Amino acid sequence: MAKRVKEPSQREILASIRKTTEKERVEEAEFERQIAALFEAANWSASRLPDGGRTRPGDLLVKRNDLGRERRYIIDAVSEINPPRLRQAFEDFRHSIEQKKEPDFDEYWLVGQYFIGEPMRKMPRNDRRFRALDLKQLRELLAIPKPKKSKASTRLGKAVLANEKEIYLAIAGLILQIEAKLEALRGELPNSDDGQSRVAREISGFERMKAELERIREMVAAFKKGKAPDQEVVKATKTFRQGVEEWWTNKSGEILTSTAKGAILVSSVGLLALMKADSVAAITAVAAVVNGGAIEKAKKIGRAMKRIGKQALTEEAR
């Protein structure tokens, strides 16, 4: 005779749910934002619900118009759907129904990234106002295709996929170097017309370089999200590389005698190398800086700026 499995008590169910770790809560908050984005992509409206306890369970209220009537759905986002969570969610749903003569929602959905403990009843007591869905089922219900992974058709695109974090760091550090140089130039107050024209030209050149870097960063992000082909990254990077090469061709003497400019050149070619977009001309320019003795100071500045850039990216991610 098969041994009867003891059903968990209400206290055991609650204790199991309370064991949710801080990490799981963060993951569920991120999953909640992902679910809201899916509904919005399907032209539903989604809003965050305040914590209402058992009288108002759920994380999101989503709405849509159906034949001229507004339908409202309570969404409870969880990292995984297991038997204790399913039972507790259904009991909270029933409690909220019983507390109100006219519930202010049509259905209650428990949505998780996946199911654990199959088989299980996904519609307890056959109540059609309650259902449990995993992420795949929700996508199918909303008719949202699974996002496509970015595909690289170029050497540069493959390098971006392989070195994405390093590329972002290199761009951030290089932009900081350029901003420091711009600040120094704006602090110069030459008296002569020639001096003022020189400063204005340099400021214009570094501002253009900064804008080109920001464009590369924008195109890399769009490519990674599948919103732009890698040819757009190639185009933006080619523009930047040509600018660097022209700068060296026209201003090599100034670059060789300026530690800051030498550092910017070295960092620029380093970025191009990360993206597999460096050229003979760019490498030759760096070799000239090395032979000119400016490389050690340039390296020190480059390392310092890289650390600052990494810190800036961390703070931006917060």
Side-chain angles (χ1 to χ4, degrees), residues 3-290:
K3 185 178 180 180
R4 185 177 179 182
V5 178
K6 182 182 177 182
E7 288 289 324
S9 67
Q10 178 72 15
R11 179 177 294 178
E12 289 172 332
I13 291 172
L14 289 173
S16 174
I17 293 173
R18 289 194 190 101
K19 289 181 180 178
T20 303
T21 65
E22 180 64 27
K23 181 179 178 182
E24 288 172 334
R25 284 193 288 271
V26 171
E27 289 175 350
E28 287 185 3
E30 179 59 34
F31 183 55
E32 177 191 318
R33 287 190 287 272
Q34 183 181 354
I35 291 173
L38 288 177
F39 278 105
E40 289 169 355
N43 295 319
W44 295 42
S45 67
S47 57
R48 182 79 172 83
L49 282 172
D51 184 10
R54 295 193 72 198
T55 59
R56 186 63 179 275
D59 302 307
L60 300 169
L61 172 65
V62 299
K63 296 181 287 187
R64 69 182 178 95
N65 288 321
D66 184 12
L67 299 177
R69 175 177 176 264
E70 182 183 76
R71 294 185 61 82
R72 299 159 63 89
Y73 302 80
I74 299 294
I75 308 299
D76 191 0
V78 296
S79 58
E80 66 179 41
I81 301 176
N82 52 45
R85 279 183 182 270
L86 183 62
R87 294 189 191 97
Q88 185 61 45
F90 184 73
E91 290 184 9
D92 289 345
F93 155 73
R94 291 299 307 169
H95 179 80
S96 66
I97 293 290
E98 291 166 1
Q99 295 299 309
K100 300 178 180 179
K101 293 181 180 179
E102 295 184 7
D104 55 357
F105 60 89
D106 296 283
E107 293 183 24
Y108 179 103
W109 295 0
L110 179 67
V111 181
Q113 298 190 54
Y114 46 80
F115 285 100
I116 287 184
E118 296 263 39
M120 65 170 68
R121 295 295 297 275
K122 298 175 184 178
M123 192 181 290
R125 300 185 197 173
N126 293 321
D127 193 321
R128 296 184 180 275
R129 294 168 297 178
F130 180 97
R131 59 169 112 179
L133 304 163
D134 63 18
L135 190 57
K136 180 181 177 182
Q137 291 169 333
L138 180 63
R139 284 185 180 278
E140 292 172 350
L141 187 66
L142 298 176
I144 297 176
K146 190 175 180 180
K148 296 180 180 179
K149 292 184 178 180
S150 302
K151 292 184 178 180
S153 60
T154 64
R155 181 168 175 258
L156 187 147
K158 292 175 183 177
V160 167
L161 293 178
N163 304 318
E164 180 193 7
K165 290 182 179 179
E166 292 83 358
I167 288 169
Y168 279 131
L169 282 173
I171 291 174
L174 187 47
I175 286 176
L176 283 173
Q177 286 178 271
I178 292 171
E179 287 176 343
K181 183 59 182 173
L182 284 169
E183 184 178 356
L185 285 168
R186 291 179 180 127
E188 292 186 23
L189 300 172
N191 294 322
S192 67
D193 292 340
D194 289 344
Q196 292 172 6
S197 297
R198 175 189 60 78
V199 170
R201 285 194 302 271
E202 287 202 55
I203 288 175
S204 177
F206 283 117
E207 285 179 338
R208 183 172 59 252
M209 185 180 286
K210 179 183 173 183
E212 290 169 356
L213 287 166
E214 289 171 341
R215 176 65 176 170
I216 292 173
R217 183 165 57 187
E218 179 185 337
M219 288 299 97
V220 167
F223 167 56
K224 284 290 294 182
K225 292 177 182 177
K227 295 181 179 180
D230 56 347
Q231 286 87 349
E232 292 297 319
V233 188
V234 172
K235 188 186 300 183
T237 306
K238 182 180 179 181
T239 299
F240 176 70
R241 186 186 68 193
Q242 288 174 340
V244 171
E245 291 173 349
E246 289 174 8
W247 180 43
W248 169 252
T249 300
N250 298 326
K251 302 291 182 182
S252 57
E254 294 179 11
I255 295 171
L256 285 171
T257 56
S258 169
T259 301
K261 291 178 182 178
I264 290 173
L265 178 72
V266 172
S267 297
S268 297
V269 178
L271 170 63
L272 292 170
L274 270 176
M275 301 180 76
K276 303 297 181 185
D278 50 342
S279 64
V280 173
I283 294 171
T284 301
V286 169
V289 173
V290 172

